[in-house]
Amino acid sequence: MNRNEWVSSAVQFAEQHEARSLEQLKALLRIPSVSTLPEHAGDVRRAAEFVAAELQRIGMEHVRLIETTSPEHPAGHPLVVADWLHAEPGPDGKPQPTVLCYGHYDVQPAEPLHEWVSPPFEPEIRDGNLYARGAVDDKGQMWMHVKALEALFATGGGKLPVNVRVVIEGEEEVGGEGIAAYLRQQGEQMRADVALVSDTEMFAPELPTLCVGLRGMIYTEIEARGARTDLHSGMYGGAAPNPLMALAEILTQLEDREGRILIPGIYEQVQAPTPAELAAWSALPFDEESFRTHEVGSPALTGEPGFSVLERLWARPTLEVHGIAGGFTGAGAKTVIPARATAKVSMRLVPDLTWSDTYERFRQYVLSLCPPGIELDVRLLHSGEGLVLSTDNPYVRVATESLRAVFGKDTVFVRGGGSIPIVADFVQLLGMPTVMMGFGLPDDNLHAPNEKFHVANFYRGIQAIVRFLGGVGA
Ligand code: BES
Ligand code: MN
Ligand code: MN
């Protein structure tokens, strides 16, 4: 059997087993592996064990959970790793390349629960979409890798056409500290000729897409403290500082009304996209008004003047406040001056704007805004670098050919506004070419209520990955 026949029969196998692959994915989606909530640590581990068991069953070797808990990283979630490194050399006698398949099995919290049409951890199919937390980000997409490997093993007499390493983390949604430490200590276990990541989106339905850039980020917490304890606002209002007001004052000075970041020096380091990239972006099928109404749903779009929406999302740094806590938020009224208040603030970064530099500037600037009577703490919760991938390698060509075989169309190259912290390490520390081939859709509601995965894209993704794995070797 030559390679083409192998790939064809693996694609056929995948098609014949679609219903079972979907049922298995539903079983995985029933496990609420919310990495940020300590009460779900057991569920996170169960999801890891579920994935490991299937990797073992399909024929991967050295399947194991790697613990990531350490003194610097208490309560880490396990990595699932495996490999299969026995691909037969090509006709020229050269060894086959090694592909690193990366994904994550952890998910974001599902709240607000009442906005879900069906409960987040009871997967349900409606109108050709699979609804559940993690359906597309990233359990469903990670499962495509597992199912593609299964199809190749099953039709190849227990062999694969390329060498494969698998690393699936359980902390992507909380910054990926565990996998980053593992990569620094045991990088050889992850080294491959190319990394394949399916954790991004297609630009539009039916439009095959490779993502060639991600934003980096710093995620911070600002704590403001005033009086020793909460105070009666009548007895002390007029004399005691108010930490919530202090935070409000600070937060409004981080950005101007139009969305320009006011932290000194931030824009000096920003690397602009090339003219070729900008030209490619303006040729993408993007309608600002339909984006506003269908995806955002606000009366107007906001953001830095002088840049297109896609530039603002993909190539400009931005700053967001995620939550403010403190004082009295129950029903009714309570006259209190809170003793402390906190705000969660993150920044999205772009190449050349490093997280360490940005965090230092952010911290200094926030501290400089501290009003009288208030003590401030600024803490970094997690961070990651932004990146732009090179597309000048044979793996990108194999990916576009695989996508053409499945979708019958040319691939578009886009960036993503989101972050996958470990990808910068793949590229910068391990020097691995990386292919980000994702099958989500713009309206899949990542991190939001009613997250979904278009079932047809789940199946097409498996086929494209079969073709990619079958196509990178000789
Ligand atoms: N899969 C997303 C990232 C993504 C989404 C990239 C869409 C490109 C397009 C990932 O799971 C994610 O949500 N990452 C977090 C990372 C953070 C918590 C460190 C993010 O971007 O907020
Ligand atoms: Mn993801
Ligand atoms: Mn995510």
Side-chain angles (χ1 to χ4, degrees):
M1 189 173 57
N2 68 32
R3 279 179 166 254
N4 286 340
E5 290 164 355
W6 189 352
V7 166
S8 302
S9 40
V11 165
Q12 229 176 45
F13 178 98
E15 281 174 340
Q16 282 157 359
H17 292 80
E18 281 174 350
R20 192 188 62 171
S21 301
L22 185 65
E23 282 314 306
Q24 293 172 324
L25 171 58
K26 283 163 123 181
L28 175 60
L29 289 168
R30 287 190 191 100
I31 308 175
S33 50
V34 182
S35 50
T36 200
L37 301 174
E39 62 269 31
H40 283 292
D43 296 317
V44 175
R45 182 168 299 269
R46 269 204 299 139
E49 282 161 358
F50 184 105
V51 175
E54 183 66 359
L55 288 169
Q56 182 77 43
R57 194 191 65 79
I58 63 172
M60 292 299 295
E61 296 181 343
H62 308 119
V63 181
R64 58 207 189 278
L65 301 197
I66 307 265
E67 299 303 326
T68 61
T69 299
S70 70
E72 304 80 53
H73 184 51
H77 301 301
L79 290 170
V80 182
V81 303
D83 61 42
W84 192 90
L85 304 170
H86 315 293
E88 275 165 25
D92 53 2
K94 274 205 282 186
Q96 300 291 354
T98 302
V99 179
L100 173 73
C101 291
Y102 162 86
H104 63 91
Y105 65 82
D106 66 321
V107 301
Q108 288 272 329
E111 285 71 20
L113 298 180
H114 66 269
E115 285 189 30
W116 287 78
V117 173
S118 52
F121 299 107
E122 294 172 30
E124 188 173 294
I125 310 265
R126 295 194 301 276
D127 301 330
N129 294 309
L130 171 62
Y131 286 87
R133 171 57 85 233
V136 70
D137 185 13
D138 181 44
K139 284 172 170 169
Q141 299 212 67
M142 175 272 292
W143 203 245
M144 299 182 312
H145 285 210
V146 179
K147 295 292 102 182
L149 290 167
E150 175 190 33
L152 287 163
F153 271 127
T155 52
K159 295 182 177 180
L160 295 176
V162 281
N163 300 308
V164 172
R165 294 181 190 280
V166 174
V167 179
I168 302 166
E169 67 166 313
E171 299 182 339
E172 195 280 338
E173 299 292 9
V174 288
E177 225 179 295
I179 193 174
Y182 181 68
L183 184 141
R184 278 159 184 75
Q185 288 152 22
Q186 306 277 330
E188 291 317 306
Q189 302 289 318
M190 277 198 235
R191 192 177 291 283
D193 297 286
V194 57
L196 178 66
V197 176
S198 300
D199 192 21
T200 54
E201 309 176 324
M202 300 184 0
F203 189 76
E206 310 299 319
L207 189 56
T209 304
L210 290 183
C211 179
V212 299
L214 294 170
R215 288 198 285 185
M217 85 179 305
I218 56 169
Y219 196 110
T220 76
E221 190 169 58
I222 306 173
E223 176 176 334
R225 286 183 308 272
R228 186 180 343 104
T229 181
D230 286 7
L231 297 172
H232 187 296
S233 68
M235 293 167 67
Y236 298 98
N242 187 314
L244 271 170
M245 285 300 286
L247 275 186
E249 203 180 304
I250 291 166
L251 295 177
T252 53
Q253 292 180 77
L254 297 179
E255 227 180 42
D256 70 13
R257 282 182 58 110
E258 294 190 284
R260 286 183 208 89
I261 297 167
L262 297 175
I263 302 167
I266 284 295
Y267 292 111
E268 283 162 24
Q269 282 142 311
V270 170
Q271 189 188 101
T274 63
E277 215 178 354
L278 286 174
W281 295 354
S282 48
L284 289 168
F286 182 76
D287 179 57
E288 205 172 302
E289 190 50 18
S290 129
F291 173 76
R292 181 185 72 77
T293 52
H294 291 107
E295 286 192 55
V296 180
S298 59
L301 294 178
T302 57
E304 217 187 336
F307 296 90
S308 71
V309 171
L310 295 182
E311 277 177 276
R312 297 192 321 255
L313 299 178
W314 295 344
R316 301 296 294 170
T318 50
L319 183 147
E320 300 296 339
V321 179
H322 305 286
I324 303 175
F328 179 70
T329 55
K334 177 185 180 189
T335 46
V336 65
I337 301 175
R340 63 186 280 277
T342 57
K344 310 259 188 197
V345 182
S346 83
M347 288 181 70
R348 297 281 169 173
L349 313 176
V350 296
D352 289 1
L353 186 61
T354 62
W355 72 257
S356 52
D357 245 47
T358 309
Y359 178 59
E360 210 32 53
R361 286 177 196 274
F362 175 89
R363 215 179 96 80
Q364 291 305 333
Y365 182 63
V366 168
L367 293 176
S368 79
L369 300 175
C370 185
I374 296 287
E375 286 174 314
L376 280 184
D377 268 340
V378 181
R379 293 185 284 267
L380 181 68
L381 301 193
H382 61 73
S383 60
E385 301 297 12
L387 62 106
V388 175
L389 296 172
S390 147
T391 52
D392 182 21
N393 62 64
Y395 305 109
V396 169
R397 276 191 295 284
V398 175
T400 57
E401 283 159 18
S402 307
L403 290 168
R404 168 178 289 288
V406 176
F407 290 88
K409 282 196 190 153
D410 282 343
T411 295
V412 296
F413 294 79
V414 306
R415 294 199 205 173
S419 312
I420 309 172
I422 198 61
V423 174
D425 290 341
F426 290 166
V427 176
Q428 288 159 19
L429 291 181
L430 296 184
M432 283 195 285
T434 299
V435 172
M436 294 195 282
M437 184 162 75
F439 299 91
L441 290 179
D443 64 351
D444 275 348
N445 299 319
L446 278 72
H447 296 200
N450 305 306
E451 177 179 350
K452 67 171 174 69
F453 194 4
H454 187 44
V455 177
N457 280 11
F458 174 59
Y459 299 147
R460 292 190 284 200
I462 298 172
Q463 294 180 23
I465 294 162
V466 164
R467 291 182 181 281
F468 179 82
L469 294 172
V472 291

